[in-house]
Amino acid sequence: LVLEGDEALKYYRKINKRYATEDFLLVTYQPEGDLMSQPVLDDIARLRDALKVLPGVSSVNSILDVPLLDSPRVSLTQVTAGEISTLSDPKVDRELARRELSTSPLYRSLLTSVDSRTTALQVNIARDERYIELLERREALKEKREAQGLSPDEKAQLTLAEQEFLDYATEANERLYALVDAVRATLAEHRDGATVFLGGVPMIAADMIAFVQSDLVVFGSGIVLFIVLLLVVIFRHVVWVLLPLATCLLSAVLMLGLLAWLDWRMTVISSNFVALLLIVTLSIAIHLVVRYRELGAKQPDASQYQLVSQTVRLMARPCFYTALTTLVAFASLVVSGIRPVIDFGWMMTIGVSVALVLTFLVLPCTLLLFKRPVAPQAADNSKAFTLRFAAFADRHGAAIFAASFVILVLSVWGGSRLKVENRFIDYFDETTEIYQGMEVIDAQLGGTIPLDVILDAPKQPEADAGGEFADDFGSDFGDDFADGGGTAGSYWFTVAGLERVAQVQNYLDGLEETGKVLSLATLYELIQMIMGNGVDDLQLALVQRALPAEINNILVEPYYSPEHDQVRLNVRVMETSRT
């Protein structure tokens, strides 16, 4: 959606790399029975195991696998020793687990709904390192081109890098869409005893591509049918149906071939390109046909060559100006600043030009293949009709001006009432899985679309907390901490830092449009739950160093970059919000 060199896109990619974020699919599972009953948990386990083995899936998070810290409440010693149970453990008290999953600051509205009737399985998609490598190589050359220019050899490298990335991206997208189809096929086997939906950004992207492909076929076919019916009603002659129709189809095929050759990808915005091009071509073709028939009726003795040459000569200028006004309108889109809109503007600008040239080549040349004039119009039956309008305009000029002024005022007022549609879910029909899945996820499982908020540590002396600890305690731990172990020099792994993160998280949590918010503040809340509210900076440092990898991977690494002294708050946005 964005232009090359967009700073927000660069920052987004940098943050994704820094925190090694993975795309994910979200499966919502609402069983007919009790979520904690053995048959339901067994079915969830079978579904999880089936999803895990799909190509491209790195892991699956479910209520069966996450560590339980309050069922019953564990001590810090148990946490650091890795003595943590999961719901898969038969000894776990399921009622306590139900309460924790529905109330825990970590799991509430993330893996289970508040009413404990719906759960989610997060299907994590493995990071494609080859894709990232090719992307970074291409972007590095582009940045160098913008900053200081490229040598001839580097220009060749950039051309090759762009093509390699585009080819690989196409393959990667096809694998992703195949994965979405495989996940859907797997879910179909578990719908008997539960209501199951698939959500997540990759699924939305895959379905959008399917919708674009469908729109091209549906809109194109619909317009072709409309053209045939229109030509039959107007001209009632097989030549005047087939010839304009063939011209329209030829222009569409030529442009689609040109776009494919140029590797110019269709988007949701440009998916109605075929329909519009057919209509533009049809209008030019009808102008030529009508004028040809008029000349044929007025000059019954004229030869075919004379009729065709007069038609082309008389219609060249008006058709050129008609096409020019349309072309200028579409060309205005190229200054929009939105990549798909710009592409659509160029597509239609080129398409209108092709339609004009092609119609004036194909239709006259085909007519010349006929030995004699084709079905000339017997009489001008439109003259009386148009003369009535002319007479009305002559007699009621003042009334027409007044009515036009009123319509202008109403139009300006109406234009001021226009609103930009910004509710993504309304782009889709209520019967689609995107719509239904987003409604369930937003209402019960914390929101669909991820949004990251990044906080950099302030440049203050308090960031040297590690050294102060070392001076105060003078122990082996203190020396190691001061030398850079654990969270040396971290502003965020202090009480003040975590309190600041908590303030931001509470603010985000309070917004009507946000769902689940996760950050280091979630870890801080869990630590306070386990150790009490009197946690100090040293205890935080000890906890962070002692956390087992299983907990660290869930609660620390996705939200904290010690190298950059930076934290990330991950927000899930409720796209169904009407605000």
Side-chain angles (χ1 to χ4, degrees):
L1 293 176
V2 298
L3 301 178
E4 288 185 10
D6 185 274
E7 292 301 321
L9 178 61
K10 289 181 183 178
Y11 188 68
Y12 168 77
R13 285 173 172 163
K14 181 173 71 173
I15 293 299
N16 274 3
K17 181 181 179 181
R18 181 173 298 172
Y19 293 94
T21 57
E22 293 181 323
D23 286 332
F24 60 88
L25 295 166
L26 206 60
V27 177
T28 67
Y29 183 96
Q30 187 175 45
E32 295 176 358
D34 181 17
L35 181 62
M36 292 296 162
S37 65
Q38 193 61 47
V40 170
L41 294 179
D42 289 342
D43 190 52
I44 294 175
R46 288 191 294 271
L47 175 57
R48 175 203 60 191
D49 295 340
L51 293 172
K52 271 185 180 179
V53 299
L54 293 177
V57 174
S58 62
S59 62
V60 179
N61 298 332
S62 72
I63 57 173
L64 300 173
D65 313 295
V66 294
L68 298 175
L69 304 177
D70 201 26
S71 304
R73 182 166 298 176
V74 297
S75 65
L76 181 60
T77 303
Q78 290 174 295
V79 172
T80 55
E83 299 173 359
I84 305 173
S85 300
T86 66
L87 195 54
S88 299
D89 189 341
K91 297 180 182 179
V92 167
D93 187 321
R94 290 183 183 172
E95 287 307 312
L96 287 178
R98 184 201 304 273
R99 185 189 66 187
E100 177 175 356
L101 290 169
S102 59
T103 61
S104 162
L106 178 58
Y107 304 132
R108 181 183 67 248
S109 297
L110 182 69
L111 290 178
T112 57
S113 59
V114 176
D115 61 8
S116 297
R117 295 189 65 247
T118 306
T119 187
L121 293 88
Q122 182 173 312
V123 183
N124 297 309
I125 301 172
R127 281 171 60 85
D128 192 332
E129 298 300 334
R130 175 62 176 165
Y131 178 93
I132 296 170
E133 176 191 342
L134 291 173
L135 175 64
E136 290 179 346
R137 184 194 306 171
R138 186 194 70 173
E139 293 305 305
L141 288 168
K142 283 185 176 181
E143 289 180 11
K144 185 176 181 181
R145 180 184 63 186
E146 296 299 322
Q148 59 194 59
L150 297 177
S151 66
D153 183 53
E154 288 172 329
K155 289 179 181 178
Q157 291 179 24
L158 176 57
T159 301
L160 179 61
E162 288 179 328
Q163 190 59 50
E164 284 183 339
F165 173 75
L166 192 57
D167 292 342
Y168 188 83
T170 301
E171 296 175 12
N173 286 335
E174 289 174 353
R175 287 196 296 270
L176 179 61
Y177 305 150
L179 173 60
V180 172
D181 290 339
V183 170
R184 281 200 167 109
T186 302
L187 298 184
E189 302 172 5
H190 295 264
R191 295 186 187 274
D192 290 343
T195 301
V196 183
F197 291 114
L198 179 62
V201 174
M203 183 275 284
I204 293 173
D207 279 8
M208 293 282 274
I209 294 298
F211 290 146
V212 169
Q213 293 172 335
S214 174
D215 287 349
L216 285 170
V217 175
V218 172
F219 291 160
S221 302
I223 289 298
V224 168
L225 180 61
F226 167 77
I227 288 173
V228 171
L229 293 175
L230 184 68
L231 295 175
V232 168
V233 170
I234 294 175
F235 299 120
R236 301 177 185 176
H237 192 285
V238 64
V239 171
W240 303 130
V241 173
L242 295 181
L243 193 52
L245 178 63
T247 306
C248 292
L249 294 178
L250 186 60
S251 68
V253 170
L254 181 63
M255 274 304 299
L256 287 174
L258 177 62
L259 294 177
W261 180 59
L262 295 173
D263 206 6
W264 219 343
R265 309 300 174 92
M266 288 289 185
T267 66
V268 176
I269 294 173
S270 58
S271 62
N272 56 5
F273 158 78
V274 172
L276 289 174
L277 182 60
L278 289 173
I279 292 171
V280 170
T281 309
L282 176 65
S283 67
I284 299 172
I286 286 181
H287 285 314
L288 290 177
V289 171
V290 169
R291 179 48 60 97
Y292 172 88
R293 284 161 56 88
E294 287 177 349
L295 292 174
K298 291 178 180 179
Q299 305 173 33
D301 297 329
S303 67
Q304 180 74 327
Y305 177 81
Q306 289 174 324
L307 292 177
V308 172
S309 60
Q310 285 187 62
T311 299
V312 171
R313 187 173 64 254
L314 291 172
M315 296 306 299
R317 182 178 294 180
C319 285
F320 171 76
Y321 285 119
T322 299
L324 184 62
T325 56
T326 308
L327 186 148
V328 170
F330 283 117
S332 67
L333 298 178
V334 302
V335 299
S336 69
I338 304 173
R339 172 53 59 192
V341 175
I342 293 172
D343 289 346
F344 179 57
W346 282 120
M347 285 179 186
M348 287 305 304
T349 299
I350 298 171
V352 171
S353 303
V354 167
L356 177 65
V357 174
L358 198 64
T359 305
F360 270 81
L361 284 175
V362 172
L363 204 146
C365 290
T366 306
L367 284 175
L368 287 176
L369 297 176
F370 293 94
K371 300 294 184 182
R372 57 173 183 249
V374 183
Q377 185 171 313
D380 184 1
N381 52 20
S382 65
K383 187 174 181 179
F385 187 67
T386 53
L387 285 176
R388 290 177 187 173
F389 280 104
F392 180 85
D394 277 339
R395 289 196 301 267
H396 303 92
I400 291 174
F401 275 114
S404 299
F405 179 76
V406 171
I407 292 172
L408 175 63
V409 172
L410 290 174
S411 299
V412 171
W413 175 81
S416 68
R417 306 289 295 174
L418 284 175
K419 295 180 180 178
V420 177
E421 174 59 70
N422 64 348
R423 192 166 178 260
F424 180 73
I425 193 172
D426 287 336
Y427 296 171
F428 307 98
D429 191 84
E430 294 181 7
T431 60
T432 61
E433 188 170 24
I434 290 180
Y435 193 102
Q436 296 173 348
M438 287 178 73
E439 279 201 320
V440 173
I441 295 170
D442 279 8
Q444 303 182 44
L445 294 169
T448 306
I449 307 298
L451 169 70
D452 287 345
V453 176
I454 307 300
L455 303 181
D456 291 307
K459 305 300 181 184
Q460 295 179 359
E462 58 187 322
D464 192 29
E468 292 174 8
F469 288 152
D471 293 340
D472 290 343
F473 292 95
S475 62
D476 291 338
F477 165 72
D479 293 336
D480 181 36
F481 190 69
D483 288 340
T487 55
S490 170
Y491 166 77
W492 297 113
F493 252 95
T494 63
V495 172
L498 291 176
E499 288 287 353
R500 175 169 291 190
V501 177
Q503 288 176 355
V504 178
Q505 176 160 324
N506 291 336
Y507 164 74
L508 294 171
D509 244 336
L511 299 176
E512 185 179 346
E513 299 81 12
T514 59
K516 188 66 177 178
V517 184
L518 291 174
S519 69
L520 283 185
T522 309
L523 171 66
Y524 186 43
E525 191 173 348
L526 292 172
I527 292 174
Q528 289 177 314
M529 181 186 75
I530 294 172
M531 301 179 61
N533 291 327
V535 181
D536 59 29
D537 289 348
L538 178 59
Q539 288 174 316
L540 286 175
L542 286 168
V543 169
Q544 199 273 335
R545 287 173 56 85
L547 283 177
E550 180 184 10
I551 300 294
N552 197 64
N553 293 340
I554 296 175
L555 292 174
V556 179
E557 286 189 0
Y559 311 109
Y560 172 56
S561 173
E563 179 185 353
H564 304 90
D565 207 10
Q566 182 185 80
V567 291
R568 164 180 173 258
L569 294 93
N570 180 244
V571 187
R572 296 256 287 275
V573 180
M574 292 190 178
E575 287 291 332
T576 57
S577 171
R578 293 192 177 275
T579 62

